[in-house]
């Protein structure tokens, strides 16, 4: 029972941000590591015929309220950015590139990107902001940029997102697998915690 | 802080069933009563542009698994009926009629309908099954049937569903209000519990 948890996220999702702030500590409680997988919700939404939560009338209003309330309960700082939701392809590619080339930096970078967007309100859809956040962590921004612009990393992200949706059934974010069991949503982290304690039920 | 909780449900929703089995005890812990409001999800889905969860590819598969897992964790018996989802208009009208005419019977009847469907696998979309369940509780089935077929109760349910969606923002089930604060989903009952303890946050 020591397989890592698989954690799928899109940087544009407030619920993924909340989960990102909790997942490593939760996994560590159970002696687990976490494998962070950037994904792009737009592809999942297209595959199943949904759209971003906040674009639905009525349900969208509830979602805005719930984003903020969910973060408040956990004392996680969250300010909804003016530009929301956004495309996050460069940031996702950057995480993949770091996983391949500077793996120790990948998760700190992912957390920094989430915080840049949901705490500092920086526009992480802009590649130059993505590289600036990396530079602030001491990552070589020029090397990262070259990596993100490479065909190899573009293909790797596309493959990763395709696999997530069509092979693993990821249709939203955050989405977590524990020993193959799927958990969708920041509000399922407590259930995941109990699942790991009991080894399923 | 003694206002009742408003509990909106559709008899076709497994998550509403799970919440129905928990909501009275949860409310009682906080000295609250529960006002049970039958609604029809089809109207809400039409208003916001969604469809029944299980009709989405991929997401639907997850939902089936999650219905059963959520019930198992809470030791709530749940067998997914062969015919699912179903229309529940007669059962919803019956709850409204009982609330008006035999209010002490309304909640026991609602719970019995949920159990008839999700435990015994009876087809509660059929009016004769709805009246049979009522008769088993000692309710006068003929009077109930006349009530359900009356224009007054048809209009009352239509009004109630319209108000739920357009006035209160109910877009799914279960949907609960505590002092105006909305909570959507069986998986939000623990959050609701904490909210009532702390008086919001």
């Amino acid at each position: 029972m020591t397989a890592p948890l698989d954690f799928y996220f899109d940087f544009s999702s407030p619920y993924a941000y909340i989960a990102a702030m909790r997942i490593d500590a939760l996994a560590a409680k159970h002696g687990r590591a976490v494998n962070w997988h950037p994904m792009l919700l737009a592809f999942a939404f297209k595959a199943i015929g949904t759209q971003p939560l906040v674009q639905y009338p009525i349900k969208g209003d509830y979602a805005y309220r719930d984003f903020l309330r969910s973060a408040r309960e956990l004392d996680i700082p969250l300010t909804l950015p003016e530009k929301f939701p956004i495309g996050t392809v460069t940031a996702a590619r950057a995480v993949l590139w770091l996983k391949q080339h500077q793996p120790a930096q990948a998760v700190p970078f992912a957390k920094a990107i989430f915080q840049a967007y949901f705490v500092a309100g920086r526009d992480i859809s802009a590649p130059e902001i993505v590289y600036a956040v990396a530079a602030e962590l001491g990552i070589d921004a020029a090397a990262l940029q070259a990596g993100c612009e490479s065909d190899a990393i573009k293909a790797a992200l596309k493959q990763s997102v395709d696999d997530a949706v069509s092979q693993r059934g990821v249709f939203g974010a955050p989405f977590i697998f524990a020993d193959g069991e799927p958990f969708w949503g920041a509000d399922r982290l407590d259930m995941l915690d109990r699942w790991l304690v009991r080894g399923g039920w």
Side-chain angles (χ1 to χ4, degrees), chain A:
Chain A
M1 292 287 281
T2 53
L5 306 183
D6 285 307
F7 173 57
Y8 291 83
F9 59 93
D10 183 314
F11 286 116
S12 189
S13 161
Y15 291 131
Y17 160 64
I18 291 171
M21 297 296 106
R22 298 185 65 194
I23 192 69
D24 285 334
L26 190 157
K29 261 178 67 178
H30 302 282
R32 304 281 191 133
V34 181
N35 194 352
W36 288 52
H37 301 278
M39 67 155 318
L40 301 174
L41 278 176
F43 285 84
F45 292 161
K46 197 173 165 193
I48 65 170
T50 53
Q51 50 180 329
L53 198 45
V54 296
Q55 289 178 15
Y56 289 101
I58 305 177
K59 193 175 185 175
D61 298 335
Y62 175 87
Y64 277 113
R65 180 182 194 127
D66 190 63
F67 295 151
L68 296 170
R69 167 178 74 176
S70 298
R72 257 194 336 264
E73 183 182 12
L74 297 163
D75 290 321
I76 294 173
L78 168 61
T79 303
L80 280 180
E82 250 174 77
K83 194 172 159 190
F84 173 80
I86 54 169
T88 57
V89 65
T90 301
R93 286 176 185 155
V95 175
L96 270 198
W97 188 85
L98 287 168
K99 283 178 75 175
Q100 292 175 4
H101 296 275
Q102 300 172 32
Q105 291 280 34
V107 172
F109 170 79
K111 290 179 182 173
I113 288 284
F114 269 126
Q115 291 168 324
Y117 186 49
F118 286 113
V119 181
R122 295 165 78 180
D123 179 5
I124 60 159
S125 68
E128 63 271 23
I129 301 290
V130 171
Y131 306 136
V133 171
E136 291 158 20
L137 295 177
I139 295 164
D140 178 341
L144 180 64
Q145 177 169 355
C148 288
E149 292 173 354
S150 70
D151 289 341
I153 213 71
K154 290 178 183 177
L157 181 62
K158 188 174 181 313
Q159 186 67 49
S160 174
V161 172
D162 281 351
D163 287 352
V165 177
S166 59
Q167 303 299 315
R168 307 210 66 183
V170 174
F171 58 83
F175 210 101
I176 300 148
F177 293 92
D179 307 320
E181 184 73 16
F183 296 87
W184 169 46
D187 53 7
R188 284 308 170 86
L189 263 64
D190 292 336
M191 182 192 255
L192 166 64
D193 193 18
R194 297 188 299 267
W195 182 275
L196 290 170
V197 168
R198 293 167 56 178
W201 55 74

